[in-house]
Amino acid sequence: QKEVEQDPGPLSVPEGAIVSLNCTYSNSAFQYFMWYRQYSRKGPELLMYTYSSGNKEDGRFTAQVDKSSKYISLFIRDSQPSDSATYLCAMSPAPGGGADGLTFGKGTHLIIQP
Amino acid sequence: ETGVTQSPTHLIKTRGQQVTLRCSSQSGHNTVSWYQQALGQGPQFIFQYYREEENGRGNFPPRFSGLQFPNYSSELNVNALELDDSALYLCASSLWSQETQYFGPGTRLLVL
């Protein structure tokens, strides 16, 4: 079993829909949770960062962490074609990754249809 | 404020050769991490450098080595290249103990 599981998709939704992206993990030491967006052949771009359990909202994006279920989510409201990209969840036991670095999921390929 | 930059953008090598990839940290950042991202996979942690010393290492063999310089820029060296080393190599910078890492655009390495 991988430490972080993420459905690779592709996930295709119509423009304007609410998108839900999820990851599950097995390492209970993870305390820091991130979502990155990666366009084709580019480096990952940080979208959201959350410490421990709870919700965080930034514009059209909401990140949720449920440590009791070892489950994290990213919601995108009013999705736009420009949101089409691969979304990577990442997590670590220490801030900045620490000596173990960030552990990533495989990424979910999201397609927003105009 | 400049972001993380990496060079070269693309590189083609043959099996058995050696390669050096370079990274300049985001302004003000003193910690650099390197990741390998194979096609269709998430990035895998190679190692992290802080104060010019390796601070942590993922599951990569010793032929993957690195350096960090006093200006916080960094190099990743890979010896005895194998076909499976073909990947996007990502550099990420942060402030020590800062919660987040910021990634560069990556260097795409192809080993033939």
Side-chain angles (χ1 to χ4, degrees):
Chain A
Q1 181 191 12
K2 283 186 175 287
E3 275 195 295
V4 179
E5 299 279 359
Q6 185 176 12
D7 187 338
L11 175 63
S12 183
V13 301
E15 182 176 356
I18 296 175
V19 175
S20 173
L21 304 168
N22 312 292
C23 289
T24 59
Y25 63 95
S26 57
N27 187 346
S28 58
F30 289 145
Q31 298 279 350
Y32 299 85
F33 303 91
M34 288 133 278
W35 286 94
Y36 286 86
R37 177 173 64 193
Q38 186 173 29
Y39 292 111
S40 181
R41 298 184 173 273
K42 302 291 186 183
E45 171 194 9
L46 180 67
L47 280 178
M48 299 287 286
Y49 157 81
T50 311
Y51 168 68
S52 194
S53 285
N55 295 356
K56 186 172 184 178
E57 187 173 323
D58 184 2
R60 296 185 295 114
F61 299 92
T62 299
Q64 289 185 352
V65 175
D66 182 350
K67 289 188 65 183
S68 63
S69 302
K70 297 189 177 67
Y71 188 87
I72 70 171
S73 301
L74 177 71
F75 297 95
I76 307 174
R77 292 181 298 281
D78 187 25
S79 56
Q80 305 293 312
S82 59
D83 294 328
S84 298
T86 295
Y87 289 79
L88 297 155
C89 63
M91 46 200 80
S92 69
D100 297 319
L102 299 179
T103 301
F104 282 85
K106 291 181 70 170
T108 298
H109 182 45
L110 175 65
I111 301 168
I112 308 297
Q113 299 171 333
Chain B
E1 179 182 281
T2 56
V4 180
T5 60
Q6 293 186 241
S7 63
T9 55
H10 297 84
L11 205 51
I12 300 175
K13 292 285 189 179
T14 56
R15 195 170 44 183
Q17 284 189 312
Q18 178 265 344
V19 69
T20 298
L21 310 181
R22 295 178 175 82
C23 170
S24 291
S25 302
Q26 183 168 316
S27 177
H29 286 180
N30 57 12
T31 305
V32 174
S33 301
W34 285 91
Y35 293 80
Q36 180 196 66
Q37 186 177 22
L39 198 62
Q41 303 294 318
Q44 298 285 318
F45 175 64
I46 303 175
F47 42 56
Q48 181 183 78
Y49 276 82
Y50 171 65
R51 289 187 175 176
E52 302 176 49
E53 291 194 0
E54 186 178 294
N55 177 58
R57 188 178 187 93
N59 189 26
F60 281 82
R63 59 190 186 82
F64 285 78
S65 63
L67 284 172
Q68 186 183 31
F69 301 99
N71 66 354
Y72 306 127
S73 65
S74 177
E75 285 182 357
L76 164 65
N77 298 288
V78 187
N79 294 322
L81 284 166
E82 301 177 358
L83 298 180
D84 284 349
D85 295 334
S86 295
L88 180 67
Y89 288 85
L90 296 161
C91 168
S93 75
S94 61
L95 271 175
W96 177 251
S97 291
Q98 184 189 50
E99 294 88 356
T100 53
Q101 297 184 7
Y102 296 88
F103 284 81
T107 293
R108 190 162 297 277
L109 173 65
L110 177 61
V111 182
L112 301 175

